[in-house]
Amino acid sequence: MSDGTAAGSVLRGLGASITDLATLYTDVHSHPELSMQERRTARVAAARLRAAGFEVTEGVGNTGVVGLLRNGEGPTVMLRADMDALPVKEETGLAYASTVTATDAQGNETPVMHACGHDIHVTWLVGACALMAGARDSWKGTLMAVFQPAEETAAGAQAMIDDGLFERFPRPDVILGQHVMPLPAGMIASQAGVITSAGDSFQIRMFGRGAHGSMPQASIDPVVMAASTVLRLQTIVSREVGPTDAAVVTVGALQAGTKENVIPDEATIKLNVRTFDEGVRNRVLEAITRIVNAEAQASGAPRPPEITPLDHYDLVRNDEHATKVIRDAFHAHFGDARVIHTGPASASEDFGSFGTEWGVPSVFWFIGGVDPDTYARAEQDGRLSEIPTNHNPKFAPVIHPTLETGVETLVVASCAWLAA
Ligand SMILES: [Zn+2]
Ligand SMILES: [Zn+2]
C-alpha cells in the first residue's frame, strides 16, 4: 500500500507553494473566530478547495466545509482540520498577532486568539489538498477534506454528524487528523491505541444561606463550602487513582460573592477532568459527585448541589493497523529521527467521534511547533514547562518548518492509501 514515490511526486509542488501558504496562515491567524462562528475561515477554506477542483459543500453542521476530489477507482481518505479559535487575549507580540474581539455564546465581548493552532491545521489541509489536486497522476481514489467547526466546545464534530455527514458523503476507508503541539518543530509523534484523553467538564452550584458578614452564625457560608470542596477534590488523583493510572482534575473557576461584608448564598465551581481509561473515568466522576454532595452536607447546605455537565470528549483511539501503515510511511519519508513515539496526551479532541460513530479506523498524530533551538535550550536548562503550551496567550508555533511538516504528513499519510 505504502509507496514513497507517490508522496514524493505530489510534494514536488510544496516548495513553490510555501510562501502562499505562509501568507494564508498569517491571514487566518490574524482573523480568529470563536467556536461555531468560523464563517470567514470556512469561506477561505471553501474557496481554496474550489480553486483546486474539489466539489465543495458548505454549511455542514453550521460552518463546516466538506470537499471531495474524486480521482478514479480506489480508497477514500478523509482528512480533518478544526477551524475555531479561543477567547484568549493574544500576547505573542507577533507582527500578525490577533487584535480581534467577538461576542461569545453568553453575549460577552471577548478577545479572540488562535491559541490552539487550528489556524495552522486549516493551512496544512488547504496546502495538502492543493498539492494532491495538482498531482492527480500520482494517486487514485477519493480525497475528502473536512473543515470542522467548534472543536474547542466539543460540539463541532457532532454537529457535522447530526447534519448528515455520514449520509451525504462517501464513507471513508480511513480518517486522519493532526494537531500542532509544544514539541520541536519538524517532529512527528504518534502511537497506536489511546492518543488523547477523555475530557469531562462540569459546573457545580453549591447552595448556602446569605447573611451579613458580621453575623456568620446566621449563614451557611458557601465560600467555605466551596473552598473545602476544591481542596478535597485534589485528593481524588492523589488518593483514589492508582499510581500507574493517570487522571487530571482541575478546578478552573471558583466564583462566589461580591463584597467583603456580605456572605453570599451560593458558589459556583467549574472543573475539568481528563482520563485515559473508562474505569478510571467512572471512578473519578463518582468521587466528584460523592465529595461535592458530602461537603455540602457537612456544611448543612439547605439543598443539594447542582452538578451540570458542560462538555464531554471521548478518548481518541488510534487504529492499530492504520497507525502502523502511517508510521511506516512517515519513517520512510522523514527518517527515524523525526518520527517519535508518544504516550497519550492529556488533551482532548472530538476528532474521535468521526471514526467511532462511522465505524471507520482513524489515526491522529502530533506535530511539533516549537523552534528546535529554543526547545533544546529549555530542555537542557530544565525549563521545558516554561514553553507556552496550546491555549497560552503566548502560544506561537514557528511557521517553518511547522507548516511544511504538516502538509507533508497529510500527503504522505494519504498516499499510503491512495498511491496509484
Ligand atoms: Zn484547544
Ligand atoms: Zn486544538
Side-chain angles (χ1 to χ4, degrees):
M1 280 214 279
S2 172
D3 180 355
T5 60
S9 44
V10 174
L11 287 168
R12 240 173 257 144
L14 178 59
S17 64
I18 204 70
T19 310
D20 170 55
L21 287 177
T23 307
L24 173 65
Y25 169 66
T26 54
D27 175 68
V28 176
H29 184 86
S30 55
H31 295 90
E33 295 170 298
L34 291 173
S35 305
M36 286 299 179
Q37 301 181 12
E38 309 90 340
R39 284 175 286 274
R40 181 185 188 274
T41 314
R43 266 202 314 276
V44 169
R48 291 283 187 143
L49 288 180
R50 265 193 204 100
F54 282 65
E55 301 161 36
V56 178
T57 311
E58 291 179 75
V60 182
N62 197 8
T63 58
V65 177
V66 180
L68 284 173
L69 187 60
R70 297 181 213 262
N71 189 31
E73 285 294 306
T76 298
V77 173
M78 171 177 147
L79 306 177
R80 173 273 206 177
D82 40 12
M83 302 187 286
D84 53 332
L86 286 158
V88 170
K89 186 165 169 43
E90 179 156 357
E91 292 172 12
T92 59
L94 292 166
Y96 51 91
S98 160
T99 54
V100 169
T101 62
T103 309
D104 68 15
Q106 286 73 43
N108 303 313
E109 191 72 5
T110 174
V112 189
M113 172 192 177
H114 266 298
C116 202
H118 299 183
D119 45 356
I120 204 148
H121 302 174
V122 167
T123 314
W124 285 336
L125 185 49
V126 163
C129 286
L131 290 177
M132 292 293 283
R136 279 175 238 198
D137 295 345
S138 309
W139 59 278
K140 261 179 155 18
T142 299
L143 191 65
M144 177 173 168
V146 169
F147 292 85
Q148 180 210 301
E151 186 283 324
E152 296 289 356
T153 56
Q158 200 56 51
M160 293 191 81
I161 293 167
D162 292 345
D163 199 12
L165 184 76
F166 299 168
E167 293 77 39
R168 294 162 66 188
F169 302 97
R171 184 167 182 267
D173 294 275
V174 69
I175 298 176
L176 309 177
Q178 53 184 8
H179 206 299
V180 64
M181 286 294 232
L183 298 166
M187 300 294 282
I188 302 136
S190 71
Q191 71 163 5
V194 175
I195 185 79
T196 63
S197 59
D200 292 275
S201 298
F202 300 93
Q203 173 178 286
I204 298 166
R205 286 175 71 196
M206 303 193 86
F207 304 102
R209 185 165 63 230
H212 196 288
S214 68
M215 300 170 196
Q217 74 280 12
S219 78
I220 294 170
D221 190 341
V223 175
V224 175
M225 195 190 303
S228 181
T229 304
V230 170
L231 289 180
R232 182 84 201 191
L233 288 171
Q234 309 308 311
T235 67
I236 297 174
V237 174
S238 69
R239 303 290 82 186
E240 299 197 44
V241 173
T244 54
D245 287 323
V248 179
V249 177
T250 290
V251 176
L254 171 57
Q255 284 145 355
T258 52
K259 199 172 183 309
E260 71 288 351
N261 64 351
V262 178
I263 298 172
D265 56 12
E266 70 171 85
T268 301
I269 292 171
K270 287 186 186 167
L271 61 84
N272 184 257
V273 177
R274 306 294 168 119
T275 48
F276 303 90
D277 171 274
E278 198 53 34
V280 175
R281 174 173 178 264
N282 290 339
R283 173 129 199 209
V284 169
L285 299 193
E286 277 164 25
I288 290 169
T289 308
R290 190 188 72 237
I291 289 169
V292 167
N293 280 297
E295 287 292 347
Q297 215 174 6
S299 295
R303 57 186 171 114
E306 246 175 49
I307 305 179
T308 313
L310 295 177
D311 59 39
H312 167 69
Y313 296 84
D314 284 330
L315 287 173
V316 176
R317 218 181 282 276
N318 281 344
D319 178 81
E320 203 84 32
H321 170 70
T323 305
K324 185 179 177 330
V325 169
I326 284 170
R327 282 187 63 92
D328 288 351
F330 285 170
H331 278 284
H333 179 82
F334 293 101
D336 292 343
R338 289 179 63 187
V339 185
I340 57 173
H341 192 270
T342 182
S346 62
S348 301
E349 257 292 338
D350 66 357
F351 168 79
S353 307
F354 293 113
T356 313
E357 295 187 34
W358 216 343
V360 174
S362 67
V363 186
F364 195 71
W365 60 85
F366 303 131
I367 290 181
V370 182
D371 173 67
D373 294 335
T374 307
Y375 192 96
R377 269 199 308 277
E379 193 168 33
Q380 207 165 30
D381 303 347
R383 291 185 296 101
L384 270 187
S385 61
E386 290 172 24
I387 290 178
T389 62
N390 305 62
H391 292 206
N392 184 296
K394 294 195 166 74
F395 179 72
V398 291
I399 297 181
H400 306 290
T402 314
L403 191 48
E404 290 85 341
T405 306
V407 174
E408 286 179 66
T409 46
L410 287 180
V411 168
V412 169
S414 299
C415 287
W417 267 265
L418 302 176

